Amino acid sequence: MSRFTSAWQSDFAWKFRRSPVAIVSFLVLMTLVLGAVFAPLVAPYDPFDPGSLNLMNGFTPPMEPNMFSGEVFWLGTDDQGRDVFSTILFGMRISLFVGFAAVLFAMLLGVTLGLLAGYLGGWTETIIMRAADVQLTFPAILVAMLIFGIAKGITPVEYRDQMAIWVLIIAIGLSDWVQFARVVRGATLVEKNKEYVQAARLIGRSKGAIMLRHILPNVMSPVLVIATISLALAIIAEATLSFLGVGAPPTQPSLGTLIRIGQGFLFSGEWWILFFPAVTLLMLALSVNLLGDWLRDALNPRLK
Amino acid sequence: MKKTMLMATAMSLVLGASASAETLKWARAGDALTLDPHAQNEGVTIAVMHQMMEPLILRAPDGNLQAALATEWSVSPDNPEVWNFKLREGVTFHDGADFTAEDVVFSFERALSEESDMKGIISSVASVEAVNDYEVNIITNGPNPILPATLPNIFVIDKGWAEVNNVVDVQDVEGGEETFASQNVNGTGPYKLVSRENDVKTVMTINEDYWGKDEFPMEFTDIKFTPIQNQATRMAALLSGEVDFIQDVPVQDLERIKTTDGKKVLTAPQNRVIFFGLNLSDELLGGNVDGKNPLTDVKVRQAMNMAINREAIQQVVMRGQSQPAGMIAPPFVQGWTEELDSYPEWDVAAAKALMEEAGYGDGFSITLNCPNDRYINDEAICQATVGMLAQIGVTVNLEALPKAQHFPLVNGLESDFYMLGWGIPSYDSEYIFNFLYHTKGELFGTWNGTRYSNAKIDEMTQAIAQEVDLEKRDAMVAEMWQIVKDDVVYLPIHHQVLNWAMDGKVGAAMDSDDQVKVKYFTVD
């Protein structure tokens, strides 16, 4: 209880309470995340079970009964008769899972390489940072597509559907580690000459221990800020890849896949297939981004 | 001074109008796979090549055979195995070389060579001989009464050009080869190739020396062909005027185009049937059944055939722009009957019972290969099928790929379950048995990805090609259709309805084969 009170009264929480933008984006994000996590309980249908679909329900407008079955769907149905509301919830699970996992992967990789480059210097630094520079010259989405293409080529056909999600995570993660590495290296360069590090070195602690125990905790706050912003980017990257048809398989649509399907029906007036997934993606990315911005300001003592 | 200026402007306007250059900006979902005339027997590829190259006999948009590079043809009165063709005189290739009998002999030999994808169409041809410069004899293996109907897609190219450019051999498409002939054309056709970028655009311009320049409208002077895979983008391109003629019109957008000022839609029954092929060999490539193949049990195939709700696909996915099918031949093909084209009623319970009987009550899993830029709503049909088969316990992994990657999987026997569409340029059942039911080999069964092999069908396929007694031939064809229908070799889905959408100024000559022949087009 006292822990909660002290957290509530902390400087950080105070800043949060004073920022309506942060509160609103936090609420929106939490609603979406909870909806996605508890999708099997919340969603009225299971759109990933192809056996439960009825094609005759296809193209039902929102809140109108289907002309064959008489069923009503809140947000309508898509071309395969999937309930759009349920599909968004399940699709968001994929989007969020891929987003979080890809950022975690990029963070682990980037922070490790950044620490090594910054602390060890010399050849290690040259190799890691030049690799980072080279990768920065390619757009992230291109790198992700390249990795996705190679992975698809080497996995056997029957595992591709299951592998697709993991391949997406690795593809987006690998295209995103550079910014973590650059920031961590920069911060490490500053930290490694400070007295506490020199003291640790003098008493004979190993390089690994110094990096992990002493430097890492002190370079983490910029990493957290980048991680939040990367999360929004990773969600959009996943949507982009799926939109281009190289991401999540059509039978397990993510938000990007839904938008790709929906845009084929824009001219014919079936707007809901595109509109609702697109708005969901917008809310998701925007709330994460606004929270990231706020976090950056809140953690930076120089910005006021 | 002012007056002279005005006069000059008016003059130039008048002059400009009289020598008007009209470009047909043409788009469809996919690109030609090659420009080598004998490398790919595929609809889009052939449609593009028809503008630049010519066969001996052409199928005009009205469906009738028309003289092209041959002016007359007849069976020799002495020997029913010899067809005589009189060739058109005074025809030149795009590079100026004269068209003579040696080019015909060369092109047919090329079309019959090992790498050729066209050899199945003319499998009855034993040899081609030049009688003189403007006359050839085609000698068939046994009499072939329908030889002329098999010729409209066999293009003639210049022998000298092929030799100089080292393209005597046909390009190996499955092996990923690119040759001079796959990127360049030297034909006799009404349009000449200006430039080509694979999957981006192909530009053609009018052939001023074309022999039929006064016979055909030929009102478009230039053609710009652009593949646009995404259907919404293709629609937007038509509505905005970026292109003025599209094939593969998205069915959901027909109403929108019809109600847009200055745009129109032409509709006709299409010579194309869409179906699924099944791997009937001893073992599946993927899936969860080891050591045996559930698809070899005819009960499983019947169950799958019964589980597909063709009417739902017609109503929802195709929006009425299709005709559910029970055989893989469209109604205007010789050999089609209403009875053969009937399909089993959609009945999930009966299908489940059949699966149970076959010992697959718990189902099995399989991968479905599907093109996503070839047929109308191909991927959506496959997706709907995934759902329908799930109801009888068959778990389907869907893999949708562009046709350039899809077709090699089918032809390389690398698929257990695939979608294919078939048009029948000869309007005869023999073409279907020859390519799709005969045991797969060098000459026959070249598009048979099912591994189906039935000695009786093989024998009869070759027999009907030579049968001159038409009544007897019809009886044989009927018997063959019944055999393959009972065997459920393919799962037919529907006959496509053909839609072309265009700007009001395009006077298109529509044909059921979805083969565009711009020389018949007018500018309205």
Side-chain angles (χ1 to χ4, degrees), chain B residues 5 93 105 129 175 188 209 268 324 392 508:
Chain B
M5 281 279 282
F93 286 97
V105 175
E129 290 165 4
T188 59
D209 303 321
I392 61 164

Side-chain angles (χ1 to χ4, degrees), chain A residues 50-51 53 55-56 58-59 68 79-80 82 152 157-158 160-162 250-251 260-261 263-265 267-268 270, chain B residues 230 232 235-236 239 252-253 256 286 312-313 315-317 319 367 379-380 383-384 387-388 390-391 397-399:
Chain A
L53 300 180
L55 187 58
M56 297 308 279
F59 301 113
F68 301 106
D79 62 327
Q80 296 288 328
R82 280 186 293 235
K152 206 171 177 191
V157 179
E158 65 255 48
R160 267 181 212 163
D161 269 17
Q162 292 105 299
T251 42
R260 171 167 74 97
I261 296 169
Q263 62 130 17
F265 302 104
F267 286 114
S268 52
E270 280 110 0
Chain B
N230 184 294
M235 262 295 290
L239 293 179
Q252 63 268 22
D253 295 326
R256 169 76 191 259
I313 292 178
Q315 282 187 41
V316 179
V317 181
R319 304 197 189 209
T367 299
E379 192 179 345
Q383 261 197 62
M388 291 165 184
Q391 294 182 348
N397 297 314
L398 175 59
E399 185 168 58

Side-chain angles (χ1 to χ4, degrees), chain B residues 116-179:
Chain B
S116 165
D117 198 31
M118 312 305 268
K119 59 182 182 289
I121 309 179
I122 47 171
S123 57
S124 68
V125 174
S127 64
V128 181
E129 290 165 4
V131 179
N132 58 45
D133 266 2
Y134 294 102
E135 200 176 332
V136 293
N137 282 337
I138 296 185
I139 293 109
T140 55
N141 298 310
N144 180 4
I146 61 155
L147 180 75
T150 63
L151 301 181
N153 289 341
I154 307 295
F155 296 109
V156 177
I157 55 168
D158 184 30
K159 184 184 182 197
W161 176 83
E163 281 168 352
V164 169
N165 293 300
N166 207 11
V167 286
V168 174
D169 292 328
V170 178
Q171 171 204 10
D172 175 12
V173 176
E174 270 83 32
E177 190 190 19
E178 287 288 346
T179 66

